[in-house]
Amino acid sequence: MSLTHIQSFVAVAEEGHVGRAARRLHLTQPPLSRHILALEDELGTRLFERTPRGMRLLPAGEAFLRHARRILAEVDAAVHTVRGVTAGRQGA
Amino acid sequence: MSLTHIQSFVAVAEEGHVGRAARRLHLTQPPLSRHILALEDELGTRLFERTPRGMRLLPAGEAFLRHARRILAEVDAAVHTVRGVTAGRQGA
DNA sequence: GCGTCCAATGCTGTCTCGGCATCGAGCCCA
DNA sequence: TGGGCTCGATGCCGAGACAGCATTGGACGC
């Protein structure tokens, strides 16, 4: 599990297409597809339903999405907090 | 920035020694040291003060530590939630 | 001053990972 | 019903990342 995988997951969840998410992340479709497969493998569950039109979130995927967004937001907050402290303010 | 780096940071912060943290993470000292340096480089600030006895957290490091723990906890929660959903319950 | 303990760094082999090309499945339309 | 289109999945390969070994450099204690 890596932050990259989590970012990929969120992008695919929001776009509903691997290819489109890939473009958004400045990546190509194959690695994106593998990120999702790796995540599903690690979690032991399918997160998406593969349809002929793209990817649709399964319940497990929806649950994971909520956490994924929180993780990415927390990472973002961490960076900003440290930058804030460095700039001279205590922003914890 | 990766979850591995964050885990390394937390371990070093808690142990106060790179070498000891390395043992705890089943790693050797050099990569651990590089994780911290990479993190500091990415954040643009020193997170630790290097003393002859080991590593002591600087204010920026303490601030980052709080976020780091939350990130790791959230990742853990995500895994457990998905496993819970998969097991048949909605545990979001 | 010498030995010890710490983190940092040079180097190398391996393994990961992204991209290209291609495949396989499912749908639409003629 | 068959050809083309649109998906995601997979085989393969080359570049880059990364861990470990060996060593360095600095600070303290005796």
Side-chain angles (χ1 to χ4, degrees), chain A residues 14-57:
Chain A
E14 290 177 351
E15 299 289 345
H17 295 261
V18 175
R20 183 178 288 273
R23 241 171 291 131
R24 169 167 144 190
L25 296 173
H26 305 291
L27 239 63
T28 56
Q29 177 258 322
L32 237 303
S33 185
R34 279 189 278 250
H35 289 181
I36 304 301
L37 290 172
L39 221 41
E40 291 179 327
D41 183 64
E42 182 168 355
L43 293 171
T45 327
R46 286 291 186 196
L47 299 173
F48 292 99
E49 179 193 353
R50 274 71 169 174
T51 79
R53 319 283 296 284
M55 314 275 276
R56 186 181 311 133
L57 275 175

Side-chain angles (χ1 to χ4, degrees), chain B residues 47-68:
Chain B
L47 299 173
F48 291 100
E49 179 192 353
R50 274 70 169 174
T51 78
R53 320 282 296 285
M55 313 275 277
R56 187 181 311 131
L57 275 175
L58 292 173
E62 289 177 10
F64 188 71
L65 180 58
R66 285 189 279 273
H67 287 282

